[in-house]
Amino acid sequence: VAEAVFCTARREGGLHYFSFERETPNSLALFNHRNIAPESMSVTEFFGIQDNYDGVEFKWRDPSDNYSEAIIKLPDDLRTNYKTIDSRGVTNHIQAHFLAHRAWNKLRYNRKAIEFTAYGEADLVTRMDRVAIVDSTVPILCSGQIEQQDNTILTVDYPVDLDAGKSYVIHLQLKNGTVDVIDIVGQFGSYQVEVARIPMMPLVTAGVTHAVFNITEATETEADAYLVSEKSGKGIFESTISAMAYDSRYYPNDKDFINGLIT
């Protein structure tokens, strides 16, 4: 029902929140090497429209005809493989027009999809939010366990060989299951690194299970805009996010009523 008024609904603590989707120049969050799990990203490029759809068939209820089913077909009535959308709560031709054109424009202009695992910042966004994503897969350079923590000096169980001319971050698994990502500012020998700050929680360095780490390069690639299409919980403060490339061409028909183009 929320989609009938161009919104995405979510429930938190017994309360319902509605996020209005519209063309916007701003992204709500940035996802990059600091909050994306290493090697979790997959990018898909589309050549042509997904699933070979050649149109949209949008179904709504027409109150002038005893609320019988009405259909808007885009771009015309001559297609053979429509994507069928059964709306809920749409009983207004103008609303149906907007929603049908948005769906058709997203089919026409979406050329990239992305999926990745994000850390806690993923809780700040919901479906159809615009986000900025650095869509480059960051490889894990080395991983292992933390043997000792002395403030910001970490002793690891795997030899580390970092290039002094590059920047790196370390992903630390904390005892509550969350991940803390910290810049590496120095290296002492092959088994010690210095981080920019003390981890959010003391690291487990005794017993059978030690804190684990991954080291990745801190890439500074420019971010691209995406729309979140799906989000699902994966673990403690971790979510799987699927998104489609953002394009302002999804929304040009939003002003058709103002411009007198809807009959």
Side-chain angles (χ1 to χ4, degrees):
V1 174
E3 291 179 355
V5 288
F6 319 101
C7 291
T8 299
R10 72 180 191 278
R11 182 173 61 190
E12 295 181 7
L15 297 176
H16 289 83
Y17 296 86
F18 295 86
S19 177
F20 181 63
E21 182 193 354
R22 62 180 176 180
E23 182 181 359
T24 175
N26 301 315
S27 298
L28 292 180
L30 170 65
F31 293 97
N32 57 15
H33 63 276
R34 298 183 183 278
N35 48 22
I36 295 178
E39 299 183 353
S40 69
M41 180 177 291
S42 63
V43 179
T44 303
E45 300 273 359
F46 301 121
F47 297 93
I49 298 178
Q50 290 177 260
D51 301 319
N52 295 317
Y53 288 121
D54 55 8
V56 164
E57 183 180 64
F58 188 87
K59 298 180 179 180
W60 61 289
R61 296 290 174 174
D62 187 354
S64 65
D65 190 20
N66 199 29
Y67 291 95
S68 63
E69 183 178 87
I71 298 176
I72 295 176
K73 292 185 177 182
L74 295 174
D76 51 48
D77 297 332
L78 306 176
R79 308 296 162 152
T80 59
N81 186 30
Y82 290 99
K83 179 178 181 179
T84 300
I85 300 173
D86 290 304
S87 65
R88 297 291 184 269
V90 178
T91 60
N92 183 293
H93 178 254
I94 296 175
Q95 283 177 281
H97 173 95
F98 292 150
L99 292 167
H101 277 85
R102 278 192 181 187
W104 173 231
N105 290 335
K106 287 176 180 177
L107 272 181
R108 286 198 294 170
Y109 299 122
N110 178 29
R111 290 293 178 265
K112 182 185 289 187
I114 195 167
E115 183 174 299
F116 58 92
T117 298
Y119 300 144
E121 286 89 339
D123 294 338
L124 302 176
V125 300
T126 189
R127 290 183 62 250
M128 294 298 109
D129 280 344
R130 172 176 164 157
V131 295
I133 302 172
V134 176
D135 57 351
S136 59
T137 301
V138 179
I140 298 174
L141 302 179
C142 61
S143 60
Q145 295 184 339
I146 302 297
E147 293 295 312
Q148 183 178 341
Q149 176 188 356
D150 183 10
N151 291 324
T152 59
I153 305 297
L154 306 180
T155 302
V156 299
D157 69 342
Y158 188 90
V160 177
D161 183 18
L162 304 181
D163 187 336
K166 297 181 179 180
S167 299
Y168 300 89
V169 294
I170 186 168
H171 301 244
L172 298 167
Q173 187 83 43
L174 305 181
K175 60 184 177 182
N176 65 353
T178 62
V179 176
D180 193 6
V181 182
I182 311 175
D183 290 323
I184 295 176
V185 296
Q187 179 180 354
F188 305 98
S190 297
Y191 291 90
Q192 285 189 326
V193 295
E194 182 180 6
V195 293
R197 59 172 172 79
I198 296 175
M200 293 186 295
M201 299 178 66
L203 303 177
V204 178
T205 59
V208 177
T209 304
H210 289 211
V212 298
F213 75 91
N214 293 317
I215 292 178
T216 63
E217 187 176 344
T219 58
E220 299 300 333
T221 308
E222 185 176 349
D224 294 320
Y226 287 82
L227 282 178
V228 177
S229 52
E230 296 291 340
K231 187 182 79 169
S232 59
K234 185 175 182 179
I236 301 176
F237 295 112
E238 286 191 7
S239 299
T240 298
I241 289 181
S242 300
M244 58 190 290
Y246 177 89
D247 195 314
S248 60
R249 291 176 294 179
Y250 297 158
Y251 308 102
N253 298 98
D254 286 4
K255 295 183 178 180
D256 283 356
F257 181 73
I258 296 174
N259 296 330
L261 300 178
I262 301 179
T263 58

